[in-house]
Amino acid sequence: MTTDDLLARHRAVLPSWMPLYYDEPIELVAGQGRRVTDAQGRTYLDFFGGVLTNSIGYDIPEIRAAVERQLRTGIVHTSTLYLIRQQVELAEKVARLSGIPDARVFFTNSGTEANEAALLMATNHRRSQQILAVRNSYHGRSYATIGVTGNRGWSASPLNPLQVAWLHSGERLRGLLARLPEADRIDAAVEDLREVLATQTSGDVACLIAEPIQGVGGFVHGPDGLLAGWRKVLDEHGILLISDEVQTGWGRTGTHFWGYQAHGVTPDMITFAKGIGNGFALAGVVGRAAVVESVPAISFSTFGGNPLSAAAGNAVLDYLLDNDLQANADRVGMILHEGLRAEVGGLPGVAEVRGKGLMLGVEFVHPGTIDPDPKRAAQVFEACRAGGLLVGKGGLYGNVVRMGPPLTLTEEEAREGLAILVTAIRSGGTAPTVAA
């Protein structure tokens, strides 16, 4: 079967709103370490990891062995109506690492479900459906999480079960706060929060949900300390803080294990997903017991934290900690950040190189302006693939090339990928075709 045949079959049975990467979509059929191979036999260095999900890489012996051990028991699924040893062990680790005192953990299948569950808990705890969310955010594809997503391109429904008020993100490139000196932005964001509470809510707001670094939004983030500035105001009103760590968790930012830790504040709940499963469907919420226990009726997750995915999660977390991959993300990420800023940061059309650790974005604009240039981003995106490097796209305007390599990325691989990316950007979106 050729890729063209598979593409035709895909288009015949799957929705048109499910995008496929590349002008000529590829099927990935094998992986090893940080590299994947497509159906045509071409091998690529993967700097996107299934949207920051394959956090340890591909075909990792320790993770494969843990999954195979569980498979050999014959128990893949039991539901949470029975004790699941792997789930309990993983919950103990997540609770300990969360930094939240007396924490409880609820497992789900995806970041969407994790955020949905957190919103359920917060609105029950506060007896309010009023939510604070951040402009340019993304929190999922379900009814309520779309409602708190501040990115029009991902808002698949204009209907909303929640009453949402929107805060400025504090980003450095655009928006009202971008006009201010860096040192003044947190104070301005706090003033904005106070005004929003006074003018757009009745006061009894349930929670603020925020990403420490906005993932789909193009790795945009406000100044460190922003969450702490907001938290002081939230505490005056009893409003909960949810940190959406679906993309920033598990050491990816390098300097901290969780993104919220850069802000000097501890949230009431953390939502997590992606990297903890390294490709297996695993996500959840960890939060203060008083908040998590606010659900007033029986509830559970049929597949969340099942024996197989929890076995994978335990192996992933153990591997991550045993090999100090957070430090690796910091060290190897520095090669990429410094290299990109030195090689392309001053080029016309490159507005910003940003992110932390192994979470990087390059934003493209029309030279001499901050007007988004999604065409240039798409050209660089395609050129990277042609050069043997897989990256992602994102941003409110689709003009950001995003990178989230596995946390096991080596220094040599970082320099290899950097060279391909720099060539793609400097060449204006053309690059030599990778050898089969």
Side-chain angles (χ1 to χ4, degrees):
M1 179 178 60
T2 67
T3 299
D4 287 343
D5 291 334
L6 187 60
L7 177 58
R9 291 168 61 191
H10 178 282
R11 288 174 172 164
V13 295
L14 295 169
S16 60
W17 40 260
M18 277 180 53
L20 285 170
Y21 269 173
Y22 304 114
D23 292 339
E24 298 179 2
I26 59 176
E27 177 192 6
L28 301 180
V29 298
Q32 181 71 45
R34 274 69 54 194
R35 300 182 191 274
V36 292
T37 302
D38 69 14
Q40 308 306 312
R42 292 179 174 175
T43 296
Y44 306 88
L45 181 60
D46 188 1
F47 266 29
F48 204 41
V51 194
L52 287 75
T53 297
N54 297 312
S55 58
I56 313 297
Y58 298 90
D59 195 26
I60 305 303
E62 291 86 344
I63 299 171
R64 184 177 66 246
V67 171
E68 289 175 346
R69 280 195 301 272
Q70 186 60 45
L71 284 172
R72 284 195 295 271
T73 70
I75 299 293
V76 172
H77 172 74
T78 64
S79 92
T80 52
L81 297 172
Y82 303 93
L83 287 169
I84 302 174
R85 185 172 299 274
Q86 295 277 9
Q87 183 184 81
V88 173
E89 291 175 353
L90 182 57
E92 290 171 339
K93 296 171 186 175
V94 172
R96 183 177 67 253
L97 291 165
S98 71
I100 297 174
D102 192 26
R104 299 293 185 274
V105 182
F106 177 68
F107 289 106
T108 65
N109 301 295
S110 68
T112 291
E113 292 180 35
N115 284 327
E116 189 84 20
L119 291 170
L120 172 69
M121 296 167 189
T123 52
N124 271 292
H125 186 75
R126 290 281 291 161
R127 306 307 301 166
S128 170
Q129 95 290 13
Q130 296 179 92
I131 307 293
L132 296 169
V134 183
R135 300 178 187 189
N136 194 44
S137 59
Y138 174 82
H139 298 291
R141 56 177 177 74
S142 62
Y143 197 35
T145 57
I146 287 173
V148 294
T149 287
N151 185 319
R152 185 173 59 188
W154 289 88
S155 296
S157 172
L159 307 176
N160 196 339
L162 302 168
Q163 181 179 326
V164 183
W166 301 96
L167 304 181
H168 290 285
S169 67
E171 73 156 294
R172 295 162 169 79
L173 193 59
R174 295 185 183 84
L176 294 176
L177 302 190
R179 304 174 187 175
L180 302 176
E182 180 85 11
D184 296 337
R185 288 180 192 163
I186 292 178
D187 288 343
V190 170
E191 291 179 17
D192 173 56
L193 170 57
R194 290 191 183 278
E195 183 177 5
V196 166
L197 287 172
T199 61
Q200 298 183 42
T201 78
S202 59
D204 56 338
V205 174
C207 66
L208 164 62
I209 183 169
E211 303 160 274
I213 299 176
Q214 294 180 326
V216 170
F219 295 165
V220 167
H221 61 92
D224 288 351
L226 177 60
L227 293 182
W230 280 336
R231 183 64 190 254
K232 291 178 182 178
V233 179
L234 300 180
D235 286 346
E236 294 171 8
H237 299 267
I239 299 169
L240 303 174
L241 174 62
I242 301 171
S243 185
D244 179 343
E245 304 266 0
V246 169
Q247 296 198 27
T248 51
W250 317 115
R252 178 161 289 282
T253 66
T255 51
H256 298 90
F257 193 78
W258 302 102
Y260 81 78
Q261 292 170 325
H263 295 262
V265 65
T266 301
D268 297 287
M269 287 185 282
I270 300 167
T271 57
F272 58 86
K274 289 189 181 292
I276 185 60
N278 200 53
F280 285 86
L282 182 62
V285 184
V286 55
R288 291 196 293 115
V291 179
V292 175
E293 299 286 4
S294 296
V295 177
I298 293 171
S299 187
F300 78 136
S301 176
T302 299
F303 294 106
N306 69 67
L308 191 64
S309 65
N314 274 300
V316 168
L317 192 48
D318 290 347
Y319 189 98
L320 193 154
L321 296 172
D322 291 345
N323 293 277
D324 198 4
L325 295 189
Q326 177 186 331
N328 189 64
D330 191 35
R331 181 177 59 257
V332 179
M334 194 67 68
I335 294 172
L336 293 170
H337 284 274
E338 291 181 350
L340 284 169
R341 291 189 176 108
E343 295 291 338
V344 302
L347 293 181
V350 176
E352 192 172 32
V353 176
R354 58 174 175 256
K356 295 182 179 182
L358 287 176
M359 193 173 189
L360 301 98
V362 181
E363 176 154 350
F364 295 93
V365 294
H366 293 285
T369 75
I370 59 169
D371 297 336
D373 191 351
K375 182 178 179 181
R376 176 74 184 283
Q379 290 170 338
V380 171
F381 175 75
E382 291 283 350
C384 284
R385 180 254 173 122
L389 181 71
L390 301 186
V391 296
K393 287 192 298 182
L396 180 61
Y397 305 102
N399 64 321
V400 179
V401 168
R402 294 201 296 154
M403 287 155 283
L407 304 183
T408 52
L409 189 75
T410 67
E411 294 183 13
E412 182 180 2
E413 289 166 338
R415 293 188 176 92
E416 176 188 347
L418 175 63
I420 297 170
L421 185 61
V422 167
T423 297
I425 295 172
R426 285 188 171 276
S427 65
T430 60
T433 301
V434 64

